[in-house]
Amino acid sequence: GFVPKIILMAPPVIGGHVSEGPFGASFDDTAHAKSMEFGACFKEVAERCGCIFMDASETVCAGIDDLHLSARAHRALADAVKKKVLEIMNIIR
């Protein structure tokens, strides 16, 4: 039967000043450096599990609070996901 294709997406890198912002209590000065490893870690898991991999950091970066995406970034990420899904479905190349 049908086997769904799963996209595993690494989140965008956390901004370098997140520990100074409103979420500072949840993050320390190593958050940015550690988040730069998201892509490689998620890619490894995707390959091991047979998933399609996307790295959000290739399309967007954290917004003004160094953590969340802006409305524009959400739209850009949605467009990137849409493009990938259409590629998977062989609708575009």
Side-chain angles (χ1 to χ4, degrees):
F2 174 75
V3 177
K5 296 183 180 181
I6 297 170
I7 299 173
L8 181 61
M9 184 180 311
V13 171
I14 294 170
H17 301 285
V18 71
S19 64
E20 300 166 16
F23 305 101
S26 299
F27 298 92
D28 63 20
D29 293 336
T30 66
H32 173 71
K34 287 179 180 176
S35 74
M36 292 183 71
E37 299 173 16
F38 287 163
C41 293
F42 275 68
K43 184 176 184 179
E44 181 182 322
V45 171
E47 289 173 352
R48 192 170 60 235
C49 296
C51 298
I52 296 160
F53 172 70
M54 289 185 72
D55 188 343
S57 289
E58 293 177 1
T59 304
V60 297
C61 58
I64 193 150
D65 65 1
D66 279 339
L67 183 62
H68 297 97
L69 300 180
S70 67
R72 179 176 283 164
H74 273 282
R75 179 63 189 194
L77 188 56
D79 289 343
V81 171
K82 176 184 174 183
K83 181 179 178 187
K84 178 58 82 175
V85 169
L86 293 174
E87 287 172 1
I88 293 166
M89 295 174 66
N90 293 315
I91 293 174
I92 63 170
R93 296 196 189 272

